[in-house]
Amino acid sequence: YAQWSSELGLPGALLIAELLLLIARGLWLTARANKQLLPMLVGTVVLLVHFGLDIDASYPACLLLGAILVGWTLPRVQSKGWRGMPVLLSLLIAAPVLSLYSSQTNAQKGLWAQNDHDYQKAADYYNSAHQGIVYNPDVLTAEGINYFTLSQIKINPDENTLLAKNKAEVAIKLDPLDSQHYFLLARVLRSKGDVPGAFTNYHKSLELDPLNSPEYYLDLATLQIANGQFAEAKAGIDKILGLYSDKVIENRHLQAGIDQTIANLKSARADAERLSSQ
């Protein structure tokens, strides 16, 4: 609700308030008329509270909302004699919901293992996170990142580099508008010596996300400096540094490594300036 109000202002806040009042009235009148729907009333209230505490774009939350709305319609469906429909709808809803919860559980375990620097275990958990019928393609890239990390610390480098490349390419096919997939592929190709391929994917990642990821600019700039493209490196660094003022950095202090990334960008800018003047 806070995000809705911040984006749409007072008119949006009034509209969402009216909508919530209408939903509350409808829930109360319907549940009072049909006590069998009381569980749906409770579930809907819980979900609406959830939306006040967290974003509603979480995949299980979206599916849970769908399940609740279907639950509200079941009495009407049953009244028309479609007795098999509730079971069918329950199965259709339960399958993706359970798959997503399982995926997110394994992804969380993968993140914990990654934070413990157990990259092989993290990769295994992320691999399990995309074995169901529904999952977020981000888990593929997360798995690939751990393979790439293993390759960089010289653990089966050839095999893990290939695995990282494969995961990035599959993720791109599933979600071609997500910049992080191209960023991983760029890093993998760079490690393999494919400089043109790395440049292509760095630029693609920045095309899709030109504002939120200073590390994209840092990676690209270091590659440009290594290849003598000093003017291009300085232009890219100046662009992102212009966006990340001290106030912006302070506001994004929860973003892991943001201070160090900005410091590294400034250092890279100084290197490009020094080398271009030689």
Side-chain angles (χ1 to χ4, degrees), residues 90-256:
S90 298
L91 291 175
L92 289 176
I93 292 169
V97 168
L98 292 174
S99 178
L100 279 169
Y101 271 110
S102 174
S103 177
Q104 290 197 337
T105 298
N106 281 301
Q108 184 60 56
K109 291 179 180 178
L111 179 60
W112 291 335
Q114 183 175 307
N115 290 338
D116 288 338
H117 308 292
D118 192 340
Y119 303 113
Q120 185 59 61
K121 182 180 285 187
D124 292 340
Y125 277 127
Y126 281 122
N127 180 272
S128 299
H130 61 81
Q131 298 305 313
I133 59 174
V134 184
Y135 56 86
N136 185 342
D138 289 357
V139 300
L140 285 159
T141 291
E143 181 185 358
I145 288 171
N146 283 279
Y147 289 135
F148 180 68
T149 303
L150 288 169
S151 73
Q152 294 302 290
I153 59 178
K154 308 304 180 184
I155 297 178
N156 299 326
D158 293 337
E159 177 184 350
N160 283 316
T161 298
L162 184 61
L163 285 169
K165 180 173 180 290
N166 173 262
K167 298 303 175 183
E169 291 172 340
V170 174
I172 287 171
K173 290 180 180 178
L174 292 174
D175 187 3
L177 299 180
D178 194 327
S179 62
Q180 63 180 321
H181 309 324
Y182 297 93
F183 184 61
L184 172 59
L185 183 57
R187 283 186 156 182
V188 172
L189 294 176
R190 180 177 180 176
S191 73
K192 290 170 62 67
D194 184 354
V195 175
F199 271 127
T200 296
N201 284 279
Y202 278 134
H203 285 301
K204 183 64 177 179
S205 64
L206 283 169
E207 175 188 330
L208 292 170
D209 183 8
L211 303 176
N212 295 309
S213 302
E215 63 269 22
Y216 291 4
Y217 289 90
L218 177 60
D219 258 48
L220 176 59
T222 57
L223 183 59
Q224 289 169 329
I225 292 171
N227 284 271
Q229 299 177 8
F230 306 121
E232 292 87 343
K234 289 189 288 184
I237 293 173
D238 289 342
K239 176 181 178 181
I240 193 63
L241 289 180
L243 296 173
Y244 277 74
S245 64
D246 291 341
K247 287 186 176 180
V248 172
I249 296 172
E250 181 181 355
N251 187 52
R252 302 190 66 169
H253 67 281
L254 293 178
Q255 183 176 345

Side-chain angles (χ1 to χ4, degrees), residues 1 27 39-53 64 68:
Y1 310 121
L27 293 177
M40 290 298 168
L41 170 64
V42 175
T44 306
V45 170
V46 169
L47 192 67
L48 291 173
V49 172
H50 164 80
F51 291 168
L53 303 174
L64 181 59
I68 290 172

